[in-house]
Amino acid sequence: MRTVAEHLEAVLAQLTPVAATTVPLSQAHGLVLTEDVSSPVDLPRFANSAMDGYAVRASEISGVTPEEPRVLPVLGDIAAGDGSPRTHRDFHAWRILTGAPVPEGADAVVRVEDTDGHPREVMIKAAVEAGANVRPAGEDVRAGSVILRAGTRIGPAQLAVLASAGVAEVSATGQLSVVVLSTGNELVPVGEPVGPGQIHDSNGPMLAALVRAAGHFGVFAGHLPDDEKAIKAEIDHHLTHADLVVTSGGVSKGGSYDPVKSVLTGVGSMEFTEVGMQPGKPQGFGLLGKRKVPVFTLPGNPVSVLVSFEVFVRPALAALAGQRYEPVTVPAVVLQGWDSPEGRAQYHRVSLSRDTSGAYAAQPVSGPGSHLVGGLALADGLAVIPAEATQVATGSEVRVLPLRPLWEIEADVVAERDAAQAAETDPAETDAAEAGREDRG
């Protein structure tokens, strides 16, 4: 068996980022930069006032106090956006608003609160140091410096810095188009009645949602019967337009009930292997078709599908988009131990809370079976257990890969803690807190 790291390395080694396009800034949100972006200008572009007040030369009001103020003639008003040239005159002041350019020769701004606020002659009641309340040109960013690195996903904050620097267009990769397919005669679309031996398809909707949550365009193209001709035709069709294809089911040890494996064995660079992990042992990956489209073939059990996506597909999506990616885990103390299979890295579903020290605490939810979806809905993350471990002891520390943003987990942790504290005085709150967690699932 391959290790998880070996299989991920084999996958990523075959991937090349999709072609970049130049897009206007108005269309760049959610895309990934393919080139470093340098600022063409200083930010701020000019020295400007950090607050409403009076622009002065600091040395000319040295020693001023509320008891010994100094009155200076006001040369005029400077508003934000006023680009008229202004020059300081000895022992004078300019009334200035936040963001307005500081006159040449002035080196400080006295807050309006430290004056009498008069428009023609102002009484200064406090001395300031040179540079006080002034934002120097280039304080934030120097012209020519890199403001965003290649591989950065452009969010609202990144749009702000690009717009501030006057960057009108960027080279980026867009959202990837990912086709999701489920296989199996036993599968029935949600909303349709199930017959004997049939189940509703959960993998397709879940995978499409996972793709969208990763920032890409996921399309659930439906489920396929266990028919090799139908499977081949459908996959071949999507190889003409998709950036990536993900299938679930039909890839275990072979035979008449593994049609995906039968259809794709020997095609392109497709390789089926066993990976030392629980769940998710049977894996398949390769580049197919003239466009060399990456194709993942995942196991059929829902938990195996989710774990495989997080461990292999999500990093591959980032690589295709040219995005930097490193899975982020958090440490957590185990509240109740469990067994782990020797020789296989385990990804165990856990819920997270805070212990008395404020650290994360992990509680296993449901059993290790890859078909158990009830506990999956309650899981905050996956506890990553090394392959050499056979036992996860109560009180030990594990690394947890979050399944949703940490701020969401934190909000639930706080809400459940508050509900538990309230339940100490009102036992009825205990039932409400538990019902709330079930509703979240």
Side-chain angles (χ1 to χ4, degrees), residues 185-188 193-200:
N185 287 334
E186 75 280 13
L187 300 180
V188 175
V194 295
Q198 294 182 319
I199 59 174
H200 280 124

Side-chain angles (χ1 to χ4, degrees), residues 95-132:
R95 191 161 67 161
I96 192 168
L97 298 181
T98 303
V102 175
E104 184 177 352
D107 60 10
V109 172
V110 179
R111 301 183 310 161
V112 69
E113 296 91 331
D114 294 326
T115 73
D116 60 5
H118 286 186
R120 296 185 181 276
E121 287 188 334
V122 62
M123 180 180 293
I124 307 291
K125 302 178 182 179
V128 292
E129 298 290 333

Side-chain angles (χ1 to χ4, degrees), residues 17 20-21 23 25 27-38 146-162 170-175 214-216 317-326:
T21 57
V23 297
L25 195 61
Q27 300 174 17
H29 181 250
L31 307 188
V32 177
L33 290 172
T34 57
E35 299 176 352
D36 290 352
V37 179
S38 299
V146 175
I147 51 177
L148 292 175
R149 294 288 183 186
T152 300
R153 185 174 292 280
I154 303 172
Q158 289 71 35
L159 283 173
V161 70
L162 291 169
V170 293
S171 176
T173 56
Q175 291 180 314
H216 301 287
L317 287 171
L320 281 175
Q323 185 181 17
R324 298 188 302 274
Y325 176 80
E326 185 69 31

Side-chain angles (χ1 to χ4, degrees), residues 1 275-278 281 338-346 385-392:
M1 287 190 296
V275 179
M277 61 189 296
Q278 183 196 61
K281 183 179 178 181
W338 64 85
D339 295 331
S340 185
E342 185 176 6
R344 297 167 66 186
Q346 187 188 53
I385 311 304
E388 61 271 17
T390 59
Q391 185 74 30
V392 180

Side-chain angles (χ1 to χ4, degrees), residues 365-428:
V365 292
S366 187
S370 57
H371 63 292
L372 301 174
V373 296
L376 182 62
L378 299 178
D380 294 315
L382 301 170
V384 183
I385 311 304
E388 61 271 17
T390 59
Q391 185 74 30
V392 180
T394 299
S396 63
E397 183 178 280
V398 294
R399 304 295 303 188
V400 176
L401 179 67
L403 291 176
R404 55 198 181 104
L406 281 175
W407 67 265
E408 285 187 8
I409 296 174
E410 281 293 326
D412 283 337
V413 166
V414 171
E416 290 168 13
R417 181 195 63 202
D418 291 347
Q421 291 174 347
E424 294 179 0
T425 55
D426 184 357

